[in-house]
Structure formats: C-alpha cells, structure tokens
C-alpha cells in the first residue's frame, strides 16, 4: 500500500515511516525543506515537496496514495490558534480529496487527549479568567466513536470520506 505521511520527519512521523517501510509499504512523505526531503530519501521514502498550508499539494499527495497518515503540525509558529486553523484546513483538504473513495485517513492530534464531552480552552484557563473554547473556533474535537471534526472536514466525512477514527460516513 502507498501511504502519504505528513510530519514524516518528525519524532513520531519518522518512526511511523520506518515501520511502514519495514512492513513493505511505500511511503510518500511531505517535506517542506530540502533537508527533510533528504532525510525521507535516506529512509527510503518518496518525497512530496510541500507544507501544511499548501492545500492543493496536500490534496494531490492524498490522491496519489491509498491512504493518509496525518502527523504534521505547525509547532514553530508561536500562534497556537493559527496553527490549529492550518491543521483544520489541512485535514479538510486531504479529507475532501479522499471523499467518496475507499482510501484511509488516520489523523493524530493533541486534542485527542481531552475527555469526551469536555471543552478545551486556549490559552488554558489561568488565574480565574475564562477563555473561549478552542473547539468553538474550529479546532478539531477529540476523535471518538464517530467522526467529530468541525467545519469542512466534518462535511467531507459526512460526504463519504473516511473519518479519522476509521469510521465511514455518507
């Protein structure tokens, strides 16, 4: 199986890429820098030049493979809400590309650590001040029994794309 992996040179991504390759799969890894591309090539993966904010590139990578493992996140922006929005848009772009197909989408997120039904806040509540919910601003909800993405990604899942939890909608 050929699998498109975002975050392929990160801590978790590089381990996943090695496991996939060792299991006989082909990997197309997203690389935003030449150095990341060199690392992927050294690991034995094919290189897909692009970044998480390049939605057309993400959709093309998803279409070129039988599955997607989304491990990437913009950690270096210093602006968590903007990074979360980039992540939401990336998921929507790849999910939309996979709509009405039998291709697999697996996503990870730190928000998966939240208890079901409990809202997250960003920045966290501090010194008694309440903050608006990050979920209410389009940050993906924790993945659970059903597809629980917001906005366009949710509509993509409802339209027949595989959801992050492996369940099918549509």
């Amino acid at each position: 199986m050929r699998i498109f992996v975002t975050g392929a040179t990160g801590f978790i991504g590089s381990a996943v890429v090695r496991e996939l390759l060792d299991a006989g799969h082909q990997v197309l890894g997203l690389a935003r820098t030449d150095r990341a591309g060199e690392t992927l090539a050294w690991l034995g993966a094919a290189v897909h030049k692009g970044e998480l904010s390049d939605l057309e590139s993400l959709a093309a990578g998803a279409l070129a493979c039988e599955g997607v493992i989304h491990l990437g996140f913009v950690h270096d922006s210093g602006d968590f809400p903007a990074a979360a929005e980039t992540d939401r848009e990336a998921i929507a772009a790849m999910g939309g590309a996979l709509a009405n197909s039998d291709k697999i989408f697996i996503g990870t997120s730190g928000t998966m650590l939240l208890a079901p039904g409990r809202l997250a806040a960003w920045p966290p509540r501090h010194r008694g001040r309440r903050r608006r919910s990050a979920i209410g601003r389009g940050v993906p909800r924790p993945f659970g029994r059903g597809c629980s993405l917001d906005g366009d990604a949710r509509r993509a899942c409802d339209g027949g794309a595989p959801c992050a939890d492996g369940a099918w909608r549509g």
Side-chain angles (χ1 to χ4, degrees):
M1 178 180 235
R2 188 166 191 217
I3 303 169
F4 181 47
V5 180
T6 68
T9 59
F11 179 70
I12 295 171
S14 58
V16 169
V17 166
R18 283 190 289 271
E19 288 289 328
L20 290 169
L21 293 169
D22 288 348
H25 298 289
Q26 298 174 357
V27 173
L28 177 63
L30 182 67
R32 67 179 166 156
T33 65
D34 290 338
R35 184 174 179 190
E38 292 168 5
T39 299
L40 288 169
W42 181 82
L43 289 171
V47 177
H48 183 83
K49 200 76 159 125
E51 55 187 67
L52 292 176
S53 62
D54 184 350
L55 304 180
E56 289 182 20
S57 176
L58 294 175
L63 287 171
C65 296
E66 287 92 7
V68 174
I69 301 177
H70 175 49
L71 303 171
F73 191 81
V74 182
H75 291 284
D76 57 355
S77 74
D79 183 355
F80 181 80
E85 178 63 15
T86 298
D87 192 48
R88 186 197 65 76
E89 290 174 352
I91 292 168
M94 292 181 286
L98 300 179
N100 300 313
S101 75
D102 61 352
K103 295 181 178 185
I104 297 167
F105 181 90
I106 299 171
T108 64
S109 171
T111 60
M112 289 177 24
L113 299 175
L114 300 174
R118 292 186 54 197
L119 296 179
W122 187 265
R125 289 185 178 139
H126 182 61
R127 296 187 184 127
R129 292 180 291 172
R130 290 182 166 232
R131 302 289 183 170
R132 291 187 325 170
S133 164
I135 291 171
R137 295 192 336 249
V139 176
R141 289 191 172 115
F143 296 64
R145 293 183 64 185
C147 182
S148 55
L149 300 172
D150 286 342
D152 295 333
R154 172 71 179 193
R155 284 188 287 283
C157 287
D158 289 341
C163 296
D165 65 353
W168 287 91
R169 305 292 180 265

